[in-house]
Amino acid sequence: MQIKINEELRSYIEPLTESEFQALESSILGEGCRDALVLWQDVLVDGHNRYKICQEHGIPFKVTENTSFRNLEDVKLWMIDNNLGRRSISDYQRGVLALRKKEIVRARALELAAQAAAEDAAVAPPEGEEAAPKKSTVMPLASREDIARAARLSTATIGQIEKIQKTATPELVEAVRTGTISINAAANVASLSEEQQLAAVAGGKKELQKAAREVRELRNAGRPAKEPKEAKAPPSADYGHQPTEVDELRAENNALREKNAALLAEITALQLRISELVNA
């Protein structure tokens, strides 16, 4: 069988780093290609790196065909689920794959909804009779919670990855992909202009962290001032320790909790006022 390479499928999953590829090559040279390559008819679906290594070194390999695929979308969904089940991929990669799955599921749901509407319009009930309610067969749209569950991440992290994908420069995306900057910090830097992002990436890890910290501080400065609380000085005040990113995230989390509590109190007061006006 002549195996075909579909470039869209080959590049659909995050490529291996140079060190990962070398480790895989060493394993195959020493132990052979133990896992079978997965095909869709004669198109390679899973095992592009193994296939390349085996071809270069003349190493035999096995293939298996998945006959459940109906179209390219089925193939992509299988590739996503297959890679989400692996432990070696990063949180960012998990989020990207889960968001890709969300788009496929959403597109299918909208397509099915359009088909169902067209079928309902084509089958008109007899005059004077109402159409019997039909049980919906439309796929539900994937919520952010569903996507987070599939990726084994928090909904907040999924939101940050969405922001990175929408507004981050390719250079910033590469920085978070390689672990130079955290997802949370990258989402903050992604709110800057393209020029500012490029400058931060060019400055390396420290400059990226500094840019992320400045964005957080600027955002916090725009929030309403809170009443000071009596509390013991943090240990960092005694030892001249500079706040770490974890300290800043904890502070931001506490600020958001307090803001949320204030908003809930405001909503309750407004609801009470509405009730009083209605009953007046």
Side-chain angles (χ1 to χ4, degrees):
M1 176 186 293
Q2 182 66 35
I3 295 177
K4 296 180 180 178
I5 304 296
N6 180 304
E7 288 301 321
E8 183 179 359
L9 294 180
R10 187 184 66 80
S11 60
Y12 194 66
I13 301 300
E14 196 78 23
L16 296 179
T17 64
E18 185 177 349
S19 61
E20 290 172 338
F21 184 86
Q22 290 175 352
L24 177 62
E25 186 175 34
S26 297
S27 174
I28 292 177
L29 289 174
E31 305 175 18
C33 187
R34 295 178 297 177
D35 299 325
L37 310 183
V38 180
L39 303 179
W40 171 39
Q41 298 174 357
D42 57 353
V43 176
L44 185 58
V45 171
D46 183 60
H48 290 86
N49 293 300
R50 282 174 279 143
Y51 179 65
K52 178 181 179 180
I53 293 169
C54 289
Q55 288 290 91
E56 289 180 352
H57 299 281
I59 298 174
F61 55 86
K62 297 178 181 179
V63 299
T64 180
E65 182 182 356
N66 191 322
T67 58
S68 66
F69 301 141
R70 296 167 298 175
N71 49 44
L72 194 62
E73 285 183 345
D74 282 350
V75 176
K76 290 180 177 179
L77 286 173
W78 182 89
M79 293 174 71
I80 290 170
D81 289 337
N82 186 49
N83 280 272
L84 283 175
R86 294 174 176 170
R87 298 180 180 179
S88 58
I89 65 174
S90 68
D91 286 349
Y92 180 74
Q93 291 171 322
R94 288 184 184 282
V96 169
L97 289 174
L99 288 169
R100 287 179 180 175
K101 183 174 183 177
K102 171 187 174 182
E103 293 306 315
I104 294 175
V105 171
R106 180 179 295 274
R108 283 191 170 183
L110 295 175
E111 182 180 353
L112 288 174
Q115 291 177 357
E119 291 173 1
D120 290 344
V123 182
E127 187 176 352
E129 294 185 12
E130 293 184 0
K134 294 178 66 176
K135 186 177 180 180
S136 174
T137 58
V138 176
M139 296 172 61
L141 294 179
S143 65
R144 180 171 289 181
E145 289 74 17
D146 296 330
I147 300 304
R149 195 177 302 112
R152 300 198 295 275
L153 300 172
S154 69
T155 54
T157 300
I158 290 295
Q160 290 167 349
I161 293 174
E162 281 185 301
K163 181 177 181 180
I164 292 169
Q165 287 192 302
K166 290 177 181 177
T167 62
T169 63
E171 293 79 5
L172 179 57
V173 170
E174 181 64 15
V176 69
R177 190 187 72 81
T178 56
T180 304
I181 185 174
S182 68
I183 294 172
N184 176 71
N188 283 318
V189 177
S191 63
L192 298 173
S193 68
E194 181 177 344
E195 292 75 13
Q196 290 172 312
Q197 291 184 42
L198 292 174
V201 173
K205 186 173 183 177
K206 289 186 177 180
E207 191 64 30
L208 282 167
Q209 291 176 339
K210 177 184 176 183
R213 182 167 60 251
E214 289 175 350
V215 171
R216 285 195 298 270
E217 291 173 351
L218 186 62
R219 186 187 303 125
N220 290 336
R223 291 175 181 157
K226 299 184 291 293
E227 291 294 329
K229 295 181 179 180
E230 293 184 4
K232 294 181 179 180
S236 59
D238 297 329
Y239 300 97
H241 173 68
Q242 294 296 321
T244 65
E245 184 175 349
V246 174
D247 296 329
E248 293 169 354
L249 289 175
R250 285 173 176 166
E252 184 175 351
N253 181 55
N254 291 334
L256 287 172
R257 288 178 181 275
E258 293 179 7
K259 184 177 181 180
N260 185 52
L263 288 172
L264 288 175
E266 186 176 347
I267 290 172
T268 301
L270 288 172
Q271 289 176 332
L272 180 60
R273 179 57 178 161
I274 292 171
S275 177
E276 291 174 350
L277 291 173
V278 171
N279 296 327

